Amino acid sequence: VSRLMDIIINSLYSKKEVFLRETISNSADALDKVRFLAVENPDIMSDAKDLEIRISFDEAAKTLTIRDTGIGMTKEDLIQNLGTVAKSGTTQFVESMASGGDLSLIGQFGVGFYSVYLVADKVR
């Protein structure tokens, strides 16, 4: 993980806008997850509002909020996948970046999630 963070800090930091694309992409994935789970269990959608991603900015508080109505990762998903090199594609990303890889491919390696920590003091 420290190797990953070193590469992210030294490579992605110059492209801070990557976090927005990756966070919206993660929200879209959460919407896809709820749609998929609703195929087997329609009750999942019964209490759901419209599936949506909302982006808001509070100028006074200097915050950007991205909310979705999808289903995110469980605690177990987080433990198993975040920072797990073999499952997140991080090894491929690190190897690609070490050999002069293209930063526009970040989302394909499962490390886009980490980019939000480059621009935020707090992530919830």
Side-chain angles (χ1 to χ4, degrees), residues 36-91:
F36 176 77
L37 293 174
V39 170
E40 287 188 11
N41 183 3
D43 292 338
I44 288 176
M45 296 293 290
S46 65
D47 293 333
K49 305 173 208 163
D50 293 332
L51 295 179
E52 63 186 10
I53 300 170
R54 291 184 175 248
I55 302 171
S56 59
F57 176 70
D58 182 333
E59 190 170 357
K62 296 184 178 179
T63 61
L64 178 68
T65 303
I66 301 170
R67 295 178 192 250
D68 63 69
T69 56
I71 297 175
M73 298 173 85
T74 64
K75 182 178 180 179
E76 185 173 318
D77 291 336
L78 292 169
I79 291 168
Q80 289 181 358
N81 295 302
L82 292 181
T84 304
V85 173
K87 293 192 178 186
S88 69
T90 302
T91 296

Side-chain angles (χ1 to χ4, degrees), residues 6-117:
D6 180 57
I7 287 183
I8 288 176
I9 290 167
N10 292 315
S11 300
L12 299 183
Y13 193 75
S14 64
K15 296 188 180 258
K16 290 182 183 181
E17 68 277 5
V18 168
F19 89 92
L20 186 58
R21 179 187 74 200
E22 294 303 323
T23 305
I24 293 169
S25 176
N26 289 346
S27 287
D29 290 345
L31 297 180
D32 287 343
K33 183 176 180 179
V34 75
R35 280 188 204 99
F36 176 77
L37 293 174
V39 170
E40 287 188 11
N41 183 3
D43 292 338
I44 288 176
M45 296 293 290
S46 65
D47 293 333
K49 305 173 208 163
D50 293 332
L51 295 179
E52 63 186 10
I53 300 170
R54 291 184 175 248
I55 302 171
S56 59
F57 176 70
D58 182 333
E59 190 170 357
K62 296 184 178 179
T63 61
L64 178 68
T65 303
I66 301 170
R67 295 178 192 250
D68 63 69
T69 56
I71 297 175
M73 298 173 85
T74 64
K75 182 178 180 179
E76 185 173 318
D77 291 336
L78 292 169
I79 291 168
Q80 289 181 358
N81 295 302
L82 292 181
T84 304
V85 173
K87 293 192 178 186
S88 69
T90 302
T91 296
Q92 292 170 308
F93 175 73
V94 170
E95 290 170 357
S96 175
M97 291 310 301
S99 63
D102 182 359
L103 286 176
S104 67
L105 299 176
I106 290 163
Q108 295 181 21
F109 293 99
V111 296
F113 170 83
Y114 297 108
S115 64
V116 73
Y117 291 98

